[in-house]
């Protein structure tokens, strides 16, 4: 991790806590190390990221299907996948303070915390162990999955038989994964419980290079489409020494997080390792009949594996901005409308009953389409700032004139420009603006209300 970016992590953490995006897990008990709870706005942001991914990789494609496999799997899965043997980090323990460290993170042979003497390295498996059933004995050990991928490999034949998909095709799923990480930190970047969005794309051997390049480009472009700045993304090829034991090739899509460049998503060519391993450990055939050659083949797999939490962090860091605004600082999140937790806020100019009634009617009408917030507390300026800080793309303001001319004001978050439109046109107009239409394309009867030229 190098080259720190401009946004610092303290500001992101503070905004997330202050505005209800993310809280430490079990906070009233002092928190649980590297576990996080997503609050009312965080859960919406995360849901929007997952939905955008699902739409792109499943809904809009012919060659992909979804899956939701269980977190607990047969222990043999982890034997076959290599996780029992290989999913380990070498660890040393300080003989004085007993803190444990990953050997690849040590500068010298002393404890980074107290300078004490260290033990010999010991391999430490990152999988969480638990017991199935009432008896806590070795025979009943099961693991919390450390990745969602294996659920897709073990269901390869089920999907093939029930969907009649032909190669190339893929399976995708979103779900929780658990890793007993030794070094955690950097907020939600590395936690012990997290969510993954993974694709296993099965292809004919020989076409794998082409599909690898295809998926790398697709996945990179997905982040760009969601508004992540190009200069904050880069591709990094794994060196031979870094490659996982099963991988023929791997690239990371790295993001420039506040602590430096780090992995957002990995795209790997896993060859036929997984299907062969599961076939040999289960005794079941996991091959595919190639209708052209009439031969049974074992497909190769291209795996784009993304983290929901890391995507959430990247989206927040990328969207965060501060602007000088008179004597104050305006904090805002330039979130892509697709991702914004709240799409529209409805704000009556004052708490006068007639205004509140009209604003509540508008709120009730709009909320059938999107997550919409109603707010009538504090000054209008403060309410705009509050919405800016949580990335709400549009505010609808109802004022005294609205009672007479049946029009309301739409204010845009980034430019702070305002247009005035008939209330009957609000829904259509907001729909078009949320899809990216220029604010100044007006519906019949609409007018430009206020244009503020500011540099963002
Ligand atoms: P790292 O090298 O950062 O530990 P990794 O290479 O082990 O990551 P993968 O096994 O490739 O990660 O997992 C795929 C994706 O899952 C990662 O790109 C990341 O987005 C996410 N991920 C992995 N481990 C964690 C974690 N501990 N916390 C949050 N997200 C994670």
């Amino acid at each position: 991790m190098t080259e720190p970016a401009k946004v610092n992590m303290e500001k992101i953490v503070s905004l997330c806590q202050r505005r209800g995006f993310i809280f430490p897990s079990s906070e009233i008990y002092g928190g649980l190390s590297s576990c996080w709870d997503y609050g009312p706005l965080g859960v919406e942001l995360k849901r929007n990221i997952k939905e955008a991914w699902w739409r792109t990789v499943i809904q809009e494609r012919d060659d992909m299907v979804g899956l939701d496999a269980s977190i607990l799997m047969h222990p043999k899965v982890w034997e076959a996948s290599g996780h029992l043997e290989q999913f380990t980090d070498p660890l040393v323990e300080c003989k004085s303070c007993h803190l444990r460290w990953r050997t690849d993170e040590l500068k010298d042979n002393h404890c980074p915390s107290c300078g004490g003497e260290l033990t010999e390295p010991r391999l430490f498996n990152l999988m969480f162990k638990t017991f199935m059933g009432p008896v806590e004995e070795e025979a009943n050990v099961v693991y919390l999955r450390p990745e969602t991928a294996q659920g897709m490999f073990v269901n390869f034949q089920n999907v093939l038989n029930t969907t009649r998909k032909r190669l190339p095709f893929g399976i995708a799923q979103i779900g929780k994964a658990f890793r007993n990480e030794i070094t955690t930190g950097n907020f939600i970047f590395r936690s012990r419980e997290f969510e993954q969005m993974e694709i296993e794309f099965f292809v004919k051997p020989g076409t794998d290079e082409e599909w690898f390049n295809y998926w790398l480009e697709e996945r990179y472009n997905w982040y760009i489409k969601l508004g992540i700045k190009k200069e904050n993304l880069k591709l990094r090829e794994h060196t031979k020494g870094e490659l996982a034991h099963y991988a023929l090739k791997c690239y990371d899509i790295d993001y420039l997080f506040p602590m430096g460049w780090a992995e957002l998503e990995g795209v790997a060519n896993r060859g036929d390792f997984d299907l062969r391993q599961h076939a040999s450990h289960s005794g079941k055939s996991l091959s595919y009949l190639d209708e052209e050659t009439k031969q049974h083949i074992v497909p190769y797999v291209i795996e784009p594996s993304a983290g929901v939490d890391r995507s959430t962090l990247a989206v927040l860091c990328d969207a965060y901005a501060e602007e000088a605004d008179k004597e104050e600082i305006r904090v805002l999140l330039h979130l892509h409308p697709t991702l914004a937790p709240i799409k529209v806020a409805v704000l009556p100019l004052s708490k006068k009953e007639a205004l509140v009634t009209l604003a509540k009617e508008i709120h009730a009408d709009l909320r059938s389409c999107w997550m919409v917030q109603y707010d009538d507390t504090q000054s209008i300026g403060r309410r705009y700032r509050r919405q800016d800080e949580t990335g709400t793309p549009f505010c609808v303001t109802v004022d005294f004139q609205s009672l007479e001319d049946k029009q309301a004001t739409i204010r845009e978050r980034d430019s702070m420009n305002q247009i005035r439109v008939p209330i009957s046109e609000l829904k259509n107009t907001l729909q078009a603006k949320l899809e990216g239409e220029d604010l100044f394309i007006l519906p019949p009867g609409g007018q430009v209300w206020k244009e503020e030229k500011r540099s963002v």
Side-chain angles (χ1 to χ4, degrees):
M1 294 177 189
T2 50
E3 303 172 51
K6 277 184 229 109
V7 192
N8 72 46
M9 196 70 99
E10 287 74 41
K11 285 185 178 171
I12 299 291
V13 175
S14 153
L15 173 70
C16 284
Q17 276 217 266
R18 196 168 69 245
R19 301 311 314 275
F21 280 92
I22 299 163
F23 310 119
S25 158
S26 326
E27 196 178 5
I28 59 168
Y29 290 101
L32 179 66
S33 167
S34 73
C35 292
W36 302 93
D37 294 347
Y38 286 78
L41 292 180
V43 71
E44 295 298 333
L45 173 58
K46 197 158 100 145
R47 203 161 66 92
N48 292 340
I49 290 174
K50 290 190 278 187
E51 279 179 9
W53 185 85
W54 195 268
R55 200 177 321 120
T56 309
V57 310
I58 296 177
Q59 188 179 324
E60 293 175 359
R61 299 183 64 104
D62 292 329
D63 54 1
M64 292 283 302
V65 290
L67 186 81
D68 186 8
S70 80
I71 288 174
L72 300 176
M73 301 181 76
H74 196 291
K76 279 201 158 173
V77 167
W78 310 114
E79 222 176 277
S81 68
H83 280 85
L84 269 178
E85 211 171 294
Q86 308 265 2
F87 199 53
T88 48
D89 274 341
L91 273 198
V92 291
E93 189 172 311
C94 172
K95 289 180 182 170
S96 326
C97 70
H98 299 290
L99 282 178
R100 288 180 173 181
W101 304 96
R102 264 166 56 172
T103 47
D104 59 345
E105 288 184 330
L106 293 173
K107 287 205 182 72
D108 56 33
N109 230 359
H110 294 97
C111 172
S113 174
C114 73
E117 200 187 326
L118 299 169
T119 60
E120 285 298 307
R122 224 162 39 93
L123 287 179
F124 174 81
N125 195 291
L126 299 185
M127 283 198 293
F128 277 99
K129 245 186 205 182
T130 187
F131 300 94
M132 191 110 160
V135 188
E136 293 194 4
E137 60 186 22
E138 209 43 37
N140 294 338
V141 164
V142 286
Y143 300 91
L144 301 189
R145 67 181 178 201
E147 60 177 30
T148 65
Q150 301 304 322
M152 294 182 268
F153 296 130
V154 301
N155 278 294
F156 171 72
Q157 252 341 317
N158 284 338
V159 172
L160 199 57
N161 294 342
T162 52
T163 62
R164 305 187 152 270
K165 288 276 175 224
R166 311 310 302 161
L167 289 185
F169 79 94
I171 310 177
Q173 77 169 330
I174 300 177
K176 290 265 182 173
F178 303 82
R179 295 182 188 179
N180 199 1
E181 300 274 6
I182 298 136
T183 38
T184 54
N186 290 321
F187 197 27
I188 52 171
F189 176 81
R190 189 184 301 286
S191 46
R192 295 199 167 102
E193 173 178 342
F194 55 97
E195 254 180 305
Q196 290 186 312
M197 308 182 280
E198 293 197 296
I199 299 170
E200 305 304 332
F201 198 77
F202 302 96
V203 304
K204 286 188 187 172
T207 64
D208 46 311
E209 273 284 318
E210 193 186 312
W211 279 108
F212 178 89
N213 294 336
Y214 167 84
W215 275 110
L216 189 58
E217 196 180 324
E218 277 289 297
R219 296 302 308 140
Y220 175 85
N221 287 334
W222 184 75
Y223 293 103
I224 303 282
K225 229 172 62 190
L226 288 181
I228 301 270
K229 296 177 200 83
K230 251 196 172 123
E231 65 266 28
N232 289 338
L233 283 174
K234 75 174 180 196
L235 301 178
R236 190 183 70 83
E237 185 170 11
H238 280 208
T239 60
K240 282 267 174 285
E242 235 181 318
L243 268 185
H245 61 281
Y246 51 76
L248 301 176
K249 189 172 184 176
C250 187
Y251 267 76
D252 285 346
I253 301 176
D254 282 355
Y255 178 76
L256 186 54
F257 287 99
M259 68 283 185
W261 288 102
E263 177 181 338
L264 187 55
E265 170 161 353
V267 181
N269 180 347
R270 300 176 71 118
D272 57 9
F273 174 82
D274 306 274
L275 290 180
R276 281 199 189 282
Q277 284 293 103
H278 285 301
S280 86
H281 281 71
S282 67
K284 301 281 184 324
S285 161
L286 296 180
S287 63
Y288 170 91
L289 178 64
D290 185 345
E291 275 147 6
E292 273 167 35
T293 61
K294 304 288 175 227
Q295 284 190 333
H296 284 274
I297 56 170
V298 179
Y300 273 28
V301 177
I302 308 302
E303 178 193 72
S305 171
V308 179
D309 311 81
R310 285 191 193 175
S311 296
T312 306
L313 183 59
V315 160
L316 284 167
C317 294
D318 220 74
Y320 185 90
E322 291 177 359
E323 284 177 17
D325 179 36
K326 297 182 192 122
E327 64 276 14
E328 288 193 340
I329 301 272
R330 176 166 94 114
V331 173
L332 72 163
L333 291 180
H334 292 287
L335 290 175
H336 191 286
T338 308
L339 301 183
I342 305 293
K343 309 292 186 223
V344 181
V346 181
L347 316 173
L349 195 64
S350 88
K351 275 189 174 172
K352 286 272 168 7
E353 199 184 328
L355 285 193
V356 166
T357 307
L358 179 58
K360 284 193 173 165
E361 270 171 34
I362 293 174
H363 177 228
D365 184 40
L366 298 181
R367 72 197 302 182
S368 62
C369 303
W370 314 285
M371 287 300 295
V372 182
Q373 212 169 54
Y374 171 86
D375 185 6
D376 61 13
T377 58
Q378 298 187 309
S379 75
I380 191 74
R382 284 215 173 277
R383 281 180 276 161
Y384 282 150
R385 294 293 172 274
R386 267 214 300 272
Q387 296 298 334
D388 292 342
E389 210 186 20
T390 55
T392 306
F394 297 105
C395 290
V396 170
T397 315
V398 178
D399 54 26
F400 290 101
Q401 209 181 322
S402 306
L403 299 172
E404 276 148 38
D405 66 6
K406 304 279 177 268
Q407 296 210 331
T409 304
I410 298 177
R411 173 207 185 251
E412 189 187 49
R413 173 196 67 204
D414 294 354
S415 63
M416 296 194 278
N417 290 329
Q418 299 184 11
I419 57 170
R420 193 148 172 100
V421 301
I423 292 171
S424 58
E425 292 295 326
L426 262 180
K427 216 187 248 179
N428 288 341
T429 310
L430 285 165
Q431 178 74 49
K433 307 305 170 203
L434 284 165
E435 284 169 10
E437 186 186 88
D438 192 298
L439 186 72
F440 295 136
I441 298 176
L442 301 170
Q447 55 184 303
V448 174
W449 197 243
K450 202 166 159 199
E451 200 175 346
E452 298 208 21
K453 288 256 175 295
R454 278 162 204 268
S455 58
V456 175

